[in-house]
Amino acid sequence: MNDMYLMAIDLGTSFIKAGVYSVNGDCIASESAPVKDSRPGPGIFIQKGEDLLGAVLECVRKTTDRIGEKKKNIEAISFTGQMSGFMGVDKDWNDITTWSCSLDSRYMPYAEKQMRELKDMFLRIGGTNFPQMAPKYAWFRNEYPEESKKIAKYLMISGYVIGKLGDIGVEEAVIDRSFTEWTGLADVQHDKWSEEICGQIGLDQKYLPKIVNSNQICAHLNKKMADILGLKAGIPLVSGAGDKAAGCLGAAVVDYGDTIFEASSYGEISCCVPEYRPDMDEKRLDVIPSAVPGDFFATHFIAGSGITLDWFINTFAKQDTQSVKEVFAEMEEKMKTVEPGCNGLMAIGLLSGSSMPLDGDLRGMWMGFDWSHGKEHFYKALLESFTYDFTLAMRRIEALYPEYRIEQVKMIGGGAKSPVWTQMCADVQQKEYAVLDREDVALWGASILAGNAVGIFADLKETAKKYVHIRKSYIPEIERGKKYMKNLELYKKYTVELHDFYRRLKEISEI
């Protein structure tokens, strides 16, 4: 058994990553390959299916070349990656629409129309405040009517790659349950497509793939692709899970009440729960079906939170002679002297609007600053704003699931490298924060799913717990936490009361 290996492929927006893992949880080789994209105009972001597949093949081949003869012992391949988007293929798996991820905003007029008409239905049944596939389907059908007639199935990116690598026809196309939420088309509580939503937008369910569990063998590597990759034909292709769901499994966020904060480009907090309870009052939560069959994650994300921090560093803090890493380290050191509340400076860090609750008019703002404030105050104010946003979401989780009190939050991503931010989160939320000892949680989570599918790992949850540990814990300080509370309440009010000012500013700028 120690000679067996598992491969995971991460289908990211900018890069494809692949990793080969031993059954003891060690990554023995990993590689990445860039994905081509085209941006011919504002809001247009195009990635062709053949370019995506080419990047997958390049990445896998580079990875298997590194392990030499060990590649003969790869027992299964699983997938993870970006969780929202849309692709239509014909009966021969040819890409008709191109892969349209969340960065491709041509569909937004259709999204706005659907949200006006079906907002509560999307949340109550589909589990989301921010559907992607439903409006993208309407957009393509109306804007490209002749091309849409060629489409046999609408897919997520992993379903397309499985189809191209595998030995199945398009009628056997699949989508793993963790992807169904942001389609806006599913009855997520029951792991099926929603007749009510599909009926409302005029989509025949015959065009949708079969919903499967994340640990299901969906196809086997066909001979043509095996020869290209230098692998044995017939390797099981396992559905896998979206990067958030796979990451939760890899981080062992698997028991009810377990919570994780992924401080990354799209920061997200997720709590493992046994069922979906929609947040109809504040609309701060979505639900992600878990990679563990039957379970879910109550979740809240901020679009581009990590991107905002990078933007600040590169725009306002970095000097020509400094590296980005050096500037982050400098800002970390300077923030240590900044008291909670940043000496009266407060921020709204939603530079691309609020996704949950949905408010596309909100943007960024600093308020209350004077001549005493330096770059570190402005930067820390952004961190405080994100922490307040996630704290409000956590309050909703605890209100909807009072039987699962959150005591500890695991933290991963780039933000976990900031002791100041990690301690701030602990203080504001009065929860212990635990930084983990592995960063490859999505790839490793997908590998666990692959191993479980072929019988190497008997139990998903126990396997996850065995191979990840806490590296450092941050204990909340009660008095510092109290200092943040008034700012937290102000943040909640500001994001509501300032809406009309943001809208007016937007109207003026469009004249």
Side-chain angles (χ1 to χ4, degrees):
M1 184 169 175
N2 289 333
D3 294 331
M4 295 180 179
Y5 299 99
L6 304 162
M7 172 172 277
I9 301 174
D10 185 347
L11 306 166
T13 305
S14 301
F15 289 90
I16 305 296
K17 300 176 185 176
V20 175
Y21 286 81
S22 73
V23 296
N24 296 317
D26 299 319
C27 183
I28 64 168
S30 65
E31 289 287 346
S32 65
V35 180
K36 295 178 183 178
D37 66 66
S38 175
R39 311 180 194 197
I44 304 175
F45 189 91
I46 295 171
Q47 291 179 313
K48 295 181 179 179
E50 54 265 33
D51 290 335
L52 283 162
L53 181 64
V56 169
L57 298 178
E58 177 188 353
C59 184
V60 171
R61 187 59 188 256
K62 285 164 62 178
T63 306
T64 55
D65 283 349
R66 283 188 57 192
I67 63 174
E69 290 301 305
K70 291 180 180 178
K71 64 187 178 184
K72 296 179 180 179
N73 296 329
I74 293 176
E75 299 297 322
I77 301 173
S78 185
F79 302 86
T80 184
Q82 49 190 309
M83 295 186 65
S84 61
F86 160 92
M87 176 182 258
V89 299
D90 68 12
K91 60 183 179 62
D92 297 314
W93 292 103
N94 296 310
D95 172 20
I96 301 299
T97 64
T98 77
W99 168 247
S100 176
C101 70
S102 59
L103 298 177
D104 184 14
S105 60
R106 290 174 289 171
Y107 76 107
M108 281 306 296
Y110 294 89
E112 291 167 357
K113 180 178 186 295
Q114 286 187 359
M115 286 300 290
R116 288 194 298 270
E117 299 172 353
L118 305 173
K119 178 170 64 175
D120 285 351
M121 189 182 297
F122 282 135
L123 183 56
R124 177 173 51 84
I125 301 173
T128 183
N129 291 272
F130 199 67
Q132 288 269 311
M133 190 179 286
K136 283 179 183 279
Y137 161 75
W139 157 68
F140 197 84
R141 178 189 61 192
N142 285 279
E143 301 294 329
Y144 303 94
E146 292 306 312
E147 291 298 296
S148 68
K149 293 176 183 178
K150 303 175 185 177
I151 294 173
K153 288 290 180 182
Y154 294 101
L155 302 168
M156 290 297 292
I157 186 172
S158 61
Y160 168 73
V161 173
I162 289 172
K164 296 296 283 188
L165 297 181
D167 56 354
I168 57 174
V170 75
E171 68 279 359
E172 299 175 81
V174 298
I175 183 172
D176 124 73
R177 72 189 297 261
S178 73
F179 286 109
T180 56
E181 169 224 359
W182 282 317
T183 66
L185 296 169
D187 177 350
V188 292
Q189 183 68 47
H190 301 99
D191 287 340
K192 65 179 184 179
W193 299 114
S194 168
E195 293 184 8
E196 192 172 355
I197 296 175
C198 290
Q200 286 287 337
I201 68 171
L203 173 57
D204 191 327
Q205 291 187 34
K206 72 179 183 180
Y207 294 108
L208 296 174
K210 179 183 177 182
I211 298 173
V212 299
N213 285 328
S214 302
N215 58 345
Q216 181 160 324
I217 297 173
C218 302
H220 295 81
L221 186 64
N222 65 50
K223 187 177 186 307
K224 176 184 175 181
M225 292 298 175
D227 290 343
I228 292 173
L229 297 172
L231 293 171
K232 61 187 178 185
I235 296 175
L237 303 179
V238 179
S239 49
D243 52 9
K244 303 299 184 185
C248 285
L249 179 61
V253 181
V254 291
D255 291 327
Y256 301 144
D258 283 359
T259 303
I260 189 168
F261 173 31
E262 182 184 0
S264 59
S265 296
Y266 274 52
E268 182 163 335
I269 193 163
S270 302
C271 177
C272 184
V273 294
E275 63 183 5
Y276 175 45
R277 301 173 189 174
D279 180 18
M280 303 305 296
D281 291 337
E282 295 192 16
K283 296 180 171 61
R284 293 189 186 277
L285 304 176
D286 278 7
V287 65
I288 296 176
S290 170
V292 177
D295 288 350
F296 298 86
F297 291 102
T299 187
H300 175 92
F301 74 88
I302 298 177
S305 55
I307 296 171
T308 296
L309 298 178
D310 289 341
W311 162 81
F312 178 89
I313 292 294
N314 284 291
T315 305
F316 301 110
K318 184 178 179 295
Q319 303 298 318
D320 291 340
T321 58
Q322 292 177 297
S323 69
V324 171
K325 184 177 180 181
E326 288 172 336
V327 183
F328 272 113
E330 177 186 335
M331 203 59 60
E332 180 77 15
E333 192 63 30
K334 288 184 176 181
M335 284 194 300
K336 293 178 181 178
T337 65
V338 179
E339 289 295 311
C342 298
N343 300 344
L345 172 61
M346 193 169 180
I348 294 176
L350 306 174
L351 271 62
S352 64
S354 172
S355 299
M356 306 162 69
L358 185 63
D359 188 342
D361 290 329
L362 288 181
R363 287 296 183 269
M365 178 181 287
W366 283 285
M367 63 191 86
F369 54 92
D370 57 32
W371 293 308
S372 69
H373 293 100
K375 289 180 288 189
E376 63 272 20
H377 295 86
F378 286 86
Y379 183 74
K380 187 170 186 285
L382 284 175
L383 295 180
E384 288 184 356
S385 74
F386 297 146
T387 306
Y388 298 148
D389 210 87
F390 287 120
T391 301
L392 293 172
M394 193 175 293
R395 287 182 175 182
R396 294 303 301 154
I397 294 172
E398 292 184 323
L400 288 166
Y401 300 90
E403 67 271 40
Y404 303 111
R405 176 164 174 78
I406 301 169
E407 302 287 352
Q408 181 194 75
V409 180
K410 295 178 179 178
M411 191 168 181
I412 61 173
K417 299 175 182 177
S418 168
V420 172
W421 193 9
T422 310
Q423 185 64 55
M424 180 198 304
C425 292
D427 294 341
V428 175
Q429 297 164 7
Q430 289 296 291
K431 315 286 186 188
E432 176 190 351
Y433 263 68
V435 176
L436 303 181
D437 64 352
R438 68 183 311 155
E439 299 179 3
D440 58 342
V441 290
L443 279 173
W444 171 234
S447 297
I448 294 174
L449 293 166
N452 178 256
V454 296
I456 293 173
F457 300 137
D459 186 275
L460 289 171
K461 294 186 178 184
E462 293 307 312
T463 303
K465 293 175 185 179
K466 186 176 179 180
Y467 293 108
V468 65
H469 305 93
I470 294 171
R471 179 168 56 81
K472 184 176 181 180
S473 292
Y474 292 79
I475 306 303
E477 297 180 13
I478 295 175
E479 293 305 315
R480 288 180 67 85
K482 290 178 180 178
K483 294 179 181 180
Y484 285 110
M485 285 302 100
K486 291 182 179 180
N487 290 63
L488 173 64
E489 296 305 322
L490 274 179
Y491 177 85
K492 183 178 181 180
K493 291 180 180 179
Y494 283 156
T495 54
V496 176
E497 294 173 2
L498 292 175
H499 168 85
D500 287 343
F501 290 95
Y502 282 108
R503 181 178 52 79
R504 288 184 214 170
L505 186 61
K506 180 180 179 182
E507 291 172 352
I508 292 171
S509 66
E510 292 176 346
I511 294 176

